[in-house]
Amino acid sequence: DAKTTQPNSMESNEEEPVHLPCNHSTISGTDYIHWYRQLPSQGPEYVIHGLTSNVNNRMASLAIAEDRKSSTLILHRATLRDAAVYYCILRIGNTPLVFGKGTRLSVIA
Amino acid sequence: IAGITQAPTSQILAAGRRMTLRCTQDMRHNAMYWYRQDLGLGLRLIHYSNTAGTTGKGEVPDGYSVSRANTDDFPLTLASAVPSQTSVYFCASSASFGGGPHNEQFFGPGTRLTVL
């Protein structure tokens, strides 16, 4: 199984950008990189996904390294509501999501 | 739009008792999943169903069973609950099974189960 490595926790000041890193050195050519987040006392929710090119949506941006062995989720202006656990996940073939421990993001007012 | 609903929200259960956690989705998704989440850990897949009438085992299936009689419902049953099954249980669904690029999984609000 391809796996991801994320820092256990990160901290950010409100209104500042946040860069959440993820290493996935064993990624294969057809694996998509997905990010989900889990707000306190809620189920996970989809954030963004990508394959090779950088991606933007209303929630975040995803920057993927040229060799695809790492990626970075970018929250452009962190708010208190962005405090959550962020999961970087590789979608491998015909399999459901496999969650690691993720990165717990704290946002300081 | 309700999305995914789970019931009950929380439950305290005596060990040895039988319990069914309910999950219903109104998105006509083919695939459904059950995960458990324990303190300090990520979500672990218990069982899944890629379409009505079929089910499969996930990472931690022992002690649990599922059925998928129709598209909308995916109940999870603990035949004889044990304290190690104390956890938060999340149901999820997706349009189709597996890792397609746009195959987002939608999660329910969870059921907090305590087995004493």
Side-chain angles (χ1 to χ4, degrees), chain A:
Chain A
D1 286 349
K3 296 188 183 300
T4 63
T5 303
Q6 300 178 253
N8 291 332
S9 62
M10 292 185 64
E11 199 172 83
S12 173
N13 293 319
E14 197 176 15
E15 301 298 319
E16 290 186 357
V18 182
H19 290 232
L20 297 164
C22 181
N23 289 317
H24 28 78
S25 59
T26 59
I27 191 171
S28 69
T30 56
D31 296 339
Y32 279 79
I33 302 159
H34 286 245
W35 284 81
Y36 280 70
R37 73 178 185 179
Q38 187 173 20
L39 302 172
S41 300
Q42 296 188 27
E45 63 177 356
Y46 168 83
V47 177
I48 200 167
H49 75 274
L51 182 62
T52 57
S53 302
N54 294 343
V55 184
N56 300 295
N57 67 19
R58 64 175 180 81
M59 291 181 70
S61 296
L62 177 59
I64 301 173
E66 192 170 341
D67 64 5
R68 301 213 321 128
K69 293 185 176 182
S70 65
S71 61
T72 302
L73 180 70
I74 302 167
L75 307 180
H76 295 286
R77 293 181 66 190
T79 70
L80 297 178
R81 289 172 293 180
D82 291 321
V85 178
Y86 287 79
Y87 298 97
C88 171
I89 302 168
L90 299 183
R91 288 310 279 276
I92 302 168
N94 201 30
T95 59
L97 293 172
V98 176
F99 288 80
K101 295 185 180 181
T103 296
R104 181 173 299 277
L105 175 65
S106 301
V107 181
I108 302 170

Side-chain angles (χ1 to χ4, degrees), chain B residues 7-95:
Chain B
T9 302
S10 65
Q11 181 74 47
I12 298 174
L13 189 66
R17 297 295 296 269
R18 180 184 179 89
M19 176 73 191
T20 295
L21 308 185
R22 300 185 297 279
C23 174
T24 299
Q25 53 102 359
D26 63 2
M27 297 174 281
R28 307 303 293 171
H29 283 171
N30 284 316
M32 298 187 74
Y33 316 85
W34 274 105
Y35 292 85
R36 61 175 288 174
Q37 185 172 36
D38 302 300
L39 191 63
L41 298 178
L43 285 80
R44 292 182 292 170
L45 184 66
I46 304 171
H47 285 287
Y48 62 88
S49 168
N50 56 15
T51 190
T54 67
T55 63
K57 294 182 179 181
E59 181 185 356
V60 288
D62 294 342
Y64 306 94
S65 64
V66 291
S67 61
R68 187 88 183 277
N70 57 60
T71 297
D72 299 343
D73 302 300
F74 191 43
L76 177 73
T77 297
L78 289 68
S80 179
V82 296
S84 63
Q85 292 177 310
T86 294
S87 189
V88 181
Y89 291 85
F90 290 100
C91 180
S93 72
S94 60

